[in-house]
Amino acid sequence: MLLSHGGEPLRAAGPAARWTVEQVLALAPDETSRKAGSKLGSAGPWSGGGCDGSGAVWGLCKGSGSKPYQTVVDTAGPAYKCSCPSRKFPCKHALGLLLVWVSGESALPAGEVPDWAGEWLTGRRKRAADKGEKGGPTAGGASAAGPADPEAARRRAERRAGRITGGALELEQRLTDLLRGGLAAADQSGYGLWEETAARMVDAQAPGLAARVRELGSIPASGPGWPVRLLEECALLHLLDSAWLGIDRLPEPLAATVRSRVGLTAPAEGPPVRDHWLVLAQYDTPDGKIVARRIWLYGRDSGRTALLLSFGSAGRAPGPALPVGVTIDAEITPYPGAGRLRAELGEQFGVPSPTGTPPPGGTAAAAIGAYADALRDDPWLDAWPVTLRDVIPVPSGDGWQLVDAAGDAALPVAPSALSRPGLWTLVALSGGSPVTVFGECGHRGFDPLAAWSTDADTGACGVDGVGISSADTTSETVPLI
């Protein structure tokens, strides 16, 4: 098993900062791995272990066979290697080794890297250094020389655009028939008709349209009020169809957003942005046979929020995986489109720090305003990343709300978050006192993803004259998902 998540030869001379248990467990690809790794998180199964100042951690884990499993982790990536047959990244042995490391147990004293671990570490860091010196692949994934045949690439793009246009026209006719026959017909026809329409969009090479069609098919079974929700989603889908059919008349940022929404990928472009990025949240969302991983970052110096989006399939977790709450010194390259939230992780420098400065926070009213502003540029946006400052979680009917400490505004917690343990973690962290919460604010409510205590002990600062506050010292990030 071998997986590398980038990075470069480490320049740190001092000891690598240790993570927290929560940051390690956040790397687990699934709940089964998390539980199995926790069982190996003590010194008992381990021998011949150690760590060094560059961020390397290694150890031998006793297994069912005669030979122990050789496990090594480069925490600067992070990247993992283990001699076990597992196809999960990281495997339970890597997770257990990291748990032993973060606990400060004597099983992993400082020392020299053994040959079996040093060979992999040296090779990994050399490849990362060579990639950095050569500039690596361009943002589009091609070499600096560009595509081998630009004319052929142009013709392929034109053919695909033509197929998408045909699919959009067919979808418009399908929506017209639905509205002409009445929304009640959607409940009678069942899901099969929508799945057939979605398959036609896949044939038209428009996966974004296909995904939205499948969402339409599930709405009639979503409970009371479904006709209103179906009409809203039909209107958004019609807007996307119309935007694609008239894309030549749109300004370029909006046109880039439309291309992305219908499923046309574009390379990351523009100059890289180097900053100290705090990992705010990481979570995986299954979508059929594909798993999408979202990692939210906040730049300490740029004040920028960025989204790393990756995909995995066939039982393999997406990459990279970054521990929540650590701060990485790295470059990111943004993708085109409205908001330019999505970015590609580039070169990393040095060893990650286990803490970081939380993003500045605003009021609930400011969060709603930020989402409204984002909708002007991307009408199909489900949610927008915001940080709420000095809010208190309080029960409200069958749900919860995040209420401004001043008492002048509140945001409902999204239904998807009500059944997660993270909600109770947030309530316990607050204890009735104000907290700072990062999450996604959308038309379904606010989905909390990370939180920080605003007690004086954490070093949080006050609120300025425009309702925005800042924290200029480090504070522990509490993951909520």
Side-chain angles (χ1 to χ4, degrees):
M1 181 189 74
L2 175 61
L3 179 67
S4 176
H5 292 313
E8 68 166 8
L10 305 179
R11 302 186 178 94
R18 295 179 187 264
W19 303 345
T20 66
V21 171
E22 290 76 14
Q23 290 167 348
V24 172
L25 294 179
L27 297 173
D30 52 43
E31 184 62 28
T32 301
S33 299
R34 188 176 294 111
K35 292 180 179 178
S38 297
K39 294 180 180 179
L40 298 175
S42 61
W46 296 94
S47 62
C51 59
D52 71 358
S54 72
V57 184
W58 62 89
L60 303 174
C61 185
K62 182 180 179 180
S64 57
S66 59
K67 293 184 178 180
Y69 294 121
Q70 297 176 336
T71 308
V72 56
V73 178
D74 186 352
T75 60
Y80 327 93
K81 182 181 185 298
C82 184
S83 59
C84 75
S86 174
R87 296 174 62 102
K88 296 182 178 181
F89 305 100
C91 67
K92 64 180 181 180
H93 305 102
L95 292 170
L97 179 65
L98 287 173
L99 289 173
V100 176
W101 174 62
V102 302
S103 66
E105 295 213 25
S106 59
L108 298 178
E112 294 186 4
V113 181
D115 293 341
W116 60 266
E119 182 178 354
W120 173 75
L121 287 166
T122 301
R124 197 194 84 80
R125 294 171 179 177
K126 184 178 184 302
R127 288 190 298 272
D130 291 343
K131 180 180 177 181
E133 292 173 0
K134 295 176 181 178
T138 63
S143 65
D149 189 346
E151 182 60 25
R154 184 188 63 80
R155 290 195 299 267
R156 286 194 298 270
E158 288 180 350
R159 288 195 296 269
R160 182 176 182 185
R163 285 191 287 268
I164 294 175
T165 297
L169 291 171
E170 181 179 347
L171 184 54
E172 280 295 282
Q173 185 60 52
R174 174 73 180 90
L175 293 174
T176 299
D177 294 342
L178 172 65
L179 296 178
R180 183 181 292 118
L183 293 180
D187 190 25
Q188 300 169 1
S189 59
Y191 188 76
L193 184 58
W194 293 108
E195 183 58 36
E196 178 185 349
T197 304
R200 299 291 293 270
M201 296 303 103
V202 172
D203 293 340
Q205 295 184 292
L209 295 179
R212 287 189 168 270
V213 169
R214 290 191 177 97
E215 290 180 5
L216 291 182
S218 65
I219 291 177
S222 63
W226 68 263
V228 174
R229 294 191 292 274
L230 180 61
L231 183 60
E232 291 174 347
E233 294 302 322
C234 285
L236 285 173
L237 188 52
H238 167 67
L239 182 63
L240 183 56
D241 274 345
S242 302
W244 172 262
L245 296 174
I247 196 168
D248 292 340
R249 301 189 298 272
L250 300 179
E252 181 49 36
L254 182 56
T257 298
V258 171
R259 286 191 288 268
S260 174
R261 291 297 181 184
V262 301
L264 283 174
T265 58
E269 61 182 17
V273 179
R274 181 175 177 179
D275 206 336
H276 290 83
W277 300 96
L278 172 64
V279 182
L280 299 171
Q282 172 182 296
Y283 63 95
D284 296 345
T285 305
D287 183 9
K289 296 181 180 180
I290 302 296
V291 176
R293 170 166 294 169
R294 290 171 171 81
I295 300 177
W296 287 107
L297 305 176
Y298 170 71
R300 183 188 68 189
D301 301 321
S302 64
R304 180 175 189 153
T305 302
L307 172 66
L308 306 181
L309 182 61
S310 58
F311 300 92
S313 60
R316 299 176 68 94
L322 299 175
V324 174
V326 306
T327 297
I328 58 173
D329 181 4
E331 293 179 341
I332 66 168
T333 303
Y335 282 83
R340 296 175 69 84
L341 281 177
R342 187 185 175 189
E344 181 180 85
L345 182 64
E347 189 174 1
Q348 299 181 53
F349 309 88
V351 178
S353 169
T355 58
T357 303
T363 63
I368 297 174
Y371 178 51
D373 290 342
L375 283 175
R376 287 204 304 259
D377 299 325
D378 184 355
W380 307 278
L381 191 67
D382 287 329
W384 185 255
V386 296
T387 302
L388 302 178
R389 174 71 180 181
D390 288 335
V391 293
I392 303 172
V394 297
S396 175
D398 294 334
W400 286 78
Q401 288 185 334
L402 296 178
V403 180
D404 283 336
D408 55 357
L411 282 175
V413 174
S416 60
L418 295 178
S419 59
R420 292 202 306 258
L423 176 61
W424 298 108
T425 301
L426 176 61
V427 173
L429 179 69
S430 167
S433 299
V435 290
T436 297
V437 185
F438 167 80
E440 299 172 359
C441 180
H443 60 91
R444 297 181 180 90
F446 184 86
D447 192 354
L449 303 178
W452 301 264
S453 170
T454 53
D455 292 338
D457 292 341
T458 67
C461 298
V463 180
D464 64 22
V466 294
I468 301 295
S469 60
S470 62
D472 57 9
T473 59
T474 60
S475 181
E476 180 181 353
T477 303
V478 179
L480 302 178
I481 188 170

